[in-house]
Amino acid sequence: MARAGVVDLAKQPADEVHFGATVEVRDEKGEIRKFTIVGEDEADAGRGKVSWGAPLAQALLGSKAGDTVTWQRPAGNLELEVVRIRYPGAECLRS
């Protein structure tokens, strides 16, 4: 918590996955899933909120729509295509 800071979502690159992004991905079966990259204290996998330090978030960070990333899981790797990136609440803050 000593290193915690406020992230201005309006300053995050709209076309790239960073902290605060809500990311829609398509898995190998064609299913669409949505995840939001949040702080450790906000993580709730059941609600699609993934800690920025989790393997899924680490795979997504820096990616862009159309990219394919590999989520390294204990159950085996899973290829995900990044379909859409949004920063909820930041749309109205961007100029």
Side-chain angles (χ1 to χ4, degrees), residues 35-62:
F35 302 100
T36 301
I37 299 176
V38 299
E40 293 174 1
D41 59 326
E42 301 171 280
D44 183 346
R47 298 181 68 197
K49 296 183 180 239
V50 180
S51 167
W52 66 272
L56 173 57
Q58 291 296 303
L60 291 168
L61 289 171

mmCIF file of all heavy atoms in Angstrom, residues 35-62:
data_model
loop_
_atom_site.group_PDB
_atom_site.id
_atom_site.type_symbol
_atom_site.label_atom_id
_atom_site.label_comp_id
_atom_site.label_asym_id
_atom_site.label_seq_id
_atom_site.Cartn_x
_atom_site.Cartn_y
_atom_site.Cartn_z
ATOM 1 N N PHE A 35 -12.714 -9.153 -18.806
ATOM 2 C CA PHE A 35 -11.935 -9.012 -17.581
ATOM 3 C C PHE A 35 -11.557 -7.548 -17.396
ATOM 4 O O PHE A 35 -11.283 -6.848 -18.362
ATOM 5 C CB PHE A 35 -10.643 -9.833 -17.653
ATOM 6 C CG PHE A 35 -10.863 -11.300 -17.890
ATOM 7 C CD1 PHE A 35 -10.718 -11.838 -19.157
ATOM 8 C CD2 PHE A 35 -11.215 -12.132 -16.850
ATOM 9 C CE1 PHE A 35 -10.913 -13.189 -19.388
ATOM 10 C CE2 PHE A 35 -11.421 -13.497 -17.063
ATOM 11 C CZ PHE A 35 -11.272 -14.018 -18.338
ATOM 12 N N THR A 36 -11.522 -7.110 -16.136
ATOM 13 C CA THR A 36 -11.051 -5.765 -15.813
ATOM 14 C C THR A 36 -9.806 -5.913 -14.960
ATOM 15 O O THR A 36 -9.791 -6.678 -13.992
ATOM 16 C CB THR A 36 -12.118 -4.961 -15.053
ATOM 17 O OG1 THR A 36 -13.298 -4.884 -15.866
ATOM 18 C CG2 THR A 36 -11.632 -3.554 -14.740
ATOM 19 N N ILE A 37 -8.752 -5.189 -15.326
ATOM 20 C CA ILE A 37 -7.484 -5.264 -14.596
ATOM 21 C C ILE A 37 -7.518 -4.236 -13.469
ATOM 22 O O ILE A 37 -7.658 -3.036 -13.716
ATOM 23 C CB ILE A 37 -6.300 -5.042 -15.539
ATOM 24 C CG1 ILE A 37 -6.322 -6.142 -16.609
ATOM 25 C CG2 ILE A 37 -4.988 -5.037 -14.756
ATOM 26 C CD1 ILE A 37 -5.282 -6.010 -17.672
ATOM 27 N N VAL A 38 -7.425 -4.741 -12.240
ATOM 28 C CA VAL A 38 -7.601 -3.918 -11.043
ATOM 29 C C VAL A 38 -6.440 -4.126 -10.068
ATOM 30 O O VAL A 38 -5.577 -4.964 -10.300
ATOM 31 C CB VAL A 38 -8.937 -4.268 -10.342
ATOM 32 C CG1 VAL A 38 -10.133 -3.992 -11.245
ATOM 33 C CG2 VAL A 38 -8.953 -5.724 -9.883
ATOM 34 N N GLY A 39 -6.470 -3.379 -8.981
ATOM 35 C CA GLY A 39 -5.492 -3.557 -7.919
ATOM 36 C C GLY A 39 -5.752 -4.838 -7.152
ATOM 37 O O GLY A 39 -6.841 -5.408 -7.208
ATOM 38 N N GLU A 40 -4.743 -5.274 -6.419
ATOM 39 C CA GLU A 40 -4.856 -6.527 -5.670
ATOM 40 C C GLU A 40 -6.032 -6.534 -4.706
ATOM 41 O O GLU A 40 -6.702 -7.551 -4.539
ATOM 42 C CB GLU A 40 -3.559 -6.794 -4.908
ATOM 43 C CG GLU A 40 -2.384 -7.073 -5.813
ATOM 44 C CD GLU A 40 -1.072 -7.203 -5.061
ATOM 45 O OE1 GLU A 40 -1.066 -7.096 -3.819
ATOM 46 O OE2 GLU A 40 -0.047 -7.400 -5.731
ATOM 47 N N ASP A 41 -6.310 -5.381 -4.087
ATOM 48 C CA ASP A 41 -7.389 -5.310 -3.104
ATOM 49 C C ASP A 41 -8.770 -5.329 -3.742
ATOM 50 O O ASP A 41 -9.766 -5.548 -3.057
ATOM 51 C CB ASP A 41 -7.237 -4.052 -2.237
ATOM 52 C CG ASP A 41 -7.262 -2.775 -3.052
ATOM 53 O OD1 ASP A 41 -6.771 -2.793 -4.192
ATOM 54 O OD2 ASP A 41 -7.780 -1.764 -2.553
ATOM 55 N N GLU A 42 -8.870 -5.135 -5.056
ATOM 56 C CA GLU A 42 -10.151 -5.126 -5.752
ATOM 57 C C GLU A 42 -10.433 -6.430 -6.494
ATOM 58 O O GLU A 42 -11.531 -6.616 -7.019
ATOM 59 C CB GLU A 42 -10.180 -3.996 -6.786
ATOM 60 C CG GLU A 42 -9.976 -2.620 -6.216
ATOM 61 C CD GLU A 42 -9.790 -1.611 -7.326
ATOM 62 O OE1 GLU A 42 -8.660 -1.521 -7.866
ATOM 63 O OE2 GLU A 42 -10.781 -0.944 -7.662
ATOM 64 N N ALA A 43 -9.452 -7.314 -6.574
ATOM 65 C CA ALA A 43 -9.583 -8.533 -7.368
ATOM 66 C C ALA A 43 -10.751 -9.386 -6.889
ATOM 67 O O ALA A 43 -10.970 -9.560 -5.696
ATOM 68 C CB ALA A 43 -8.293 -9.339 -7.311
ATOM 69 N N ASP A 44 -11.532 -9.879 -7.861
ATOM 70 C CA ASP A 44 -12.677 -10.747 -7.598
ATOM 71 C C ASP A 44 -12.910 -11.551 -8.873
ATOM 72 O O ASP A 44 -13.624 -11.098 -9.775
ATOM 73 C CB ASP A 44 -13.905 -9.918 -7.233
ATOM 74 C CG ASP A 44 -15.117 -10.749 -6.873
ATOM 75 O OD1 ASP A 44 -15.132 -11.966 -7.151
ATOM 76 O OD2 ASP A 44 -16.068 -10.168 -6.319
ATOM 77 N N ALA A 45 -12.278 -12.708 -8.967
ATOM 78 C CA ALA A 45 -12.320 -13.514 -10.191
ATOM 79 C C ALA A 45 -13.748 -13.832 -10.616
ATOM 80 O O ALA A 45 -14.046 -13.853 -11.804
ATOM 81 C CB ALA A 45 -11.523 -14.799 -10.004
ATOM 82 N N GLY A 46 -14.626 -14.061 -9.679
ATOM 83 C CA GLY A 46 -16.018 -14.374 -9.989
ATOM 84 C C GLY A 46 -16.750 -13.241 -10.695
ATOM 85 O O GLY A 46 -17.722 -13.470 -11.397
ATOM 86 N N ARG A 47 -16.254 -12.026 -10.527
ATOM 87 C CA ARG A 47 -16.860 -10.859 -11.166
ATOM 88 C C ARG A 47 -16.000 -10.328 -12.317
ATOM 89 O O ARG A 47 -16.236 -9.243 -12.823
ATOM 90 C CB ARG A 47 -17.091 -9.767 -10.136
ATOM 91 C CG ARG A 47 -18.083 -10.244 -9.049
ATOM 92 C CD ARG A 47 -18.364 -9.206 -8.028
ATOM 93 N NE ARG A 47 -19.107 -8.115 -8.668
ATOM 94 C CZ ARG A 47 -19.222 -6.910 -8.145
ATOM 95 N NH1 ARG A 47 -18.666 -6.636 -6.990
ATOM 96 N NH2 ARG A 47 -19.899 -5.976 -8.766
ATOM 97 N N GLY A 48 -14.976 -11.112 -12.702
ATOM 98 C CA GLY A 48 -14.137 -10.730 -13.828
ATOM 99 C C GLY A 48 -13.118 -9.656 -13.509
ATOM 100 O O GLY A 48 -12.547 -9.045 -14.407
ATOM 101 N N LYS A 49 -12.845 -9.421 -12.225
ATOM 102 C CA LYS A 49 -11.869 -8.415 -11.815
ATOM 103 C C LYS A 49 -10.576 -9.132 -11.461
ATOM 104 O O LYS A 49 -10.522 -9.888 -10.499
ATOM 105 C CB LYS A 49 -12.399 -7.603 -10.643
ATOM 106 C CG LYS A 49 -13.625 -6.797 -11.032
ATOM 107 C CD LYS A 49 -14.104 -5.935 -9.911
ATOM 108 C CE LYS A 49 -15.318 -5.169 -10.374
ATOM 109 N NZ LYS A 49 -15.131 -3.756 -10.295
ATOM 110 N N VAL A 50 -9.540 -8.872 -12.257
ATOM 111 C CA VAL A 50 -8.282 -9.598 -12.159
ATOM 112 C C VAL A 50 -7.184 -8.664 -11.666
ATOM 113 O O VAL A 50 -6.999 -7.575 -12.207
ATOM 114 C CB VAL A 50 -7.900 -10.169 -13.545
ATOM 115 C CG1 VAL A 50 -6.590 -10.929 -13.483
ATOM 116 C CG2 VAL A 50 -9.014 -11.044 -14.084
ATOM 117 N N SER A 51 -6.445 -9.107 -10.659
ATOM 118 C CA SER A 51 -5.320 -8.321 -10.140
ATOM 119 C C SER A 51 -4.277 -8.106 -11.231
ATOM 120 O O SER A 51 -3.981 -9.020 -12.009
ATOM 121 C CB SER A 51 -4.673 -9.050 -8.967
ATOM 122 O OG SER A 51 -3.433 -8.457 -8.648
ATOM 123 N N TRP A 52 -3.709 -6.921 -11.262
ATOM 124 C CA TRP A 52 -2.704 -6.577 -12.263
ATOM 125 C C TRP A 52 -1.502 -7.520 -12.224
ATOM 126 O O TRP A 52 -0.805 -7.697 -13.210
ATOM 127 C CB TRP A 52 -2.236 -5.129 -12.091
ATOM 128 C CG TRP A 52 -1.489 -4.920 -10.803
ATOM 129 C CD1 TRP A 52 -2.020 -4.603 -9.590
ATOM 130 C CD2 TRP A 52 -0.094 -5.063 -10.596
ATOM 131 N NE1 TRP A 52 -1.027 -4.533 -8.634
ATOM 132 C CE2 TRP A 52 0.165 -4.811 -9.231
ATOM 133 C CE3 TRP A 52 0.969 -5.371 -11.434
ATOM 134 C CZ2 TRP A 52 1.447 -4.862 -8.700
ATOM 135 C CZ3 TRP A 52 2.240 -5.425 -10.881
ATOM 136 C CH2 TRP A 52 2.464 -5.162 -9.527
ATOM 137 N N GLY A 53 -1.263 -8.167 -11.100
ATOM 138 C CA GLY A 53 -0.128 -9.073 -10.962
ATOM 139 C C GLY A 53 -0.438 -10.517 -11.307
ATOM 140 O O GLY A 53 0.473 -11.350 -11.353
ATOM 141 N N ALA A 54 -1.690 -10.831 -11.570
ATOM 142 C CA ALA A 54 -2.093 -12.202 -11.892
ATOM 143 C C ALA A 54 -1.583 -12.603 -13.276
ATOM 144 O O ALA A 54 -1.412 -11.751 -14.151
ATOM 145 C CB ALA A 54 -3.611 -12.322 -11.840
ATOM 146 N N PRO A 55 -1.343 -13.898 -13.490
ATOM 147 C CA PRO A 55 -0.847 -14.349 -14.796
ATOM 148 C C PRO A 55 -1.716 -13.907 -15.977
ATOM 149 O O PRO A 55 -1.182 -13.552 -17.028
ATOM 150 C CB PRO A 55 -0.820 -15.880 -14.660
ATOM 151 C CG PRO A 55 -0.606 -16.109 -13.193
ATOM 152 C CD PRO A 55 -1.398 -15.005 -12.521
ATOM 153 N N LEU A 56 -3.034 -13.886 -15.812
ATOM 154 C CA LEU A 56 -3.901 -13.437 -16.903
ATOM 155 C C LEU A 56 -3.645 -11.973 -17.229
ATOM 156 O O LEU A 56 -3.465 -11.607 -18.395
ATOM 157 C CB LEU A 56 -5.373 -13.649 -16.546
ATOM 158 C CG LEU A 56 -6.384 -13.056 -17.530
ATOM 159 C CD1 LEU A 56 -6.173 -13.588 -18.943
ATOM 160 C CD2 LEU A 56 -7.797 -13.308 -17.046
ATOM 161 N N ALA A 57 -3.602 -11.130 -16.216
ATOM 162 C CA ALA A 57 -3.351 -9.706 -16.442
ATOM 163 C C ALA A 57 -1.968 -9.501 -17.046
ATOM 164 O O ALA A 57 -1.802 -8.701 -17.977
ATOM 165 C CB ALA A 57 -3.480 -8.926 -15.141
ATOM 166 N N GLN A 58 -0.979 -10.231 -16.571
ATOM 167 C CA GLN A 58 0.373 -10.102 -17.109
ATOM 168 C C GLN A 58 0.415 -10.474 -18.584
ATOM 169 O O GLN A 58 1.143 -9.857 -19.368
ATOM 170 C CB GLN A 58 1.355 -10.953 -16.304
ATOM 171 C CG GLN A 58 1.596 -10.427 -14.900
ATOM 172 C CD GLN A 58 2.257 -9.061 -14.914
ATOM 173 O OE1 GLN A 58 3.322 -8.888 -15.482
ATOM 174 N NE2 GLN A 58 1.605 -8.086 -14.305
ATOM 175 N N ALA A 59 -0.377 -11.461 -18.986
ATOM 176 C CA ALA A 59 -0.435 -11.844 -20.396
ATOM 177 C C ALA A 59 -1.092 -10.747 -21.237
ATOM 178 O O ALA A 59 -0.700 -10.524 -22.386
ATOM 179 C CB ALA A 59 -1.212 -13.154 -20.550
ATOM 180 N N LEU A 60 -2.077 -10.060 -20.662
ATOM 181 C CA LEU A 60 -2.825 -9.046 -21.410
ATOM 182 C C LEU A 60 -2.143 -7.684 -21.456
ATOM 183 O O LEU A 60 -2.309 -6.938 -22.430
ATOM 184 C CB LEU A 60 -4.223 -8.886 -20.807
ATOM 185 C CG LEU A 60 -5.173 -10.068 -20.986
ATOM 186 C CD1 LEU A 60 -6.406 -9.901 -20.103
ATOM 187 C CD2 LEU A 60 -5.556 -10.217 -22.449
ATOM 188 N N LEU A 61 -1.402 -7.331 -20.412
ATOM 189 C CA LEU A 61 -0.803 -5.994 -20.338
ATOM 190 C C LEU A 61 0.058 -5.688 -21.557
ATOM 191 O O LEU A 61 0.909 -6.490 -21.949
ATOM 192 C CB LEU A 61 0.016 -5.842 -19.058
ATOM 193 C CG LEU A 61 -0.802 -5.754 -17.774
ATOM 194 C CD1 LEU A 61 0.105 -5.835 -16.551
ATOM 195 C CD2 LEU A 61 -1.625 -4.469 -17.738
ATOM 196 N N GLY A 62 -0.193 -4.541 -22.168
ATOM 197 C CA GLY A 62 0.561 -4.104 -23.336
ATOM 198 C C GLY A 62 -0.003 -4.579 -24.661
ATOM 199 O O GLY A 62 0.445 -4.140 -25.719
#
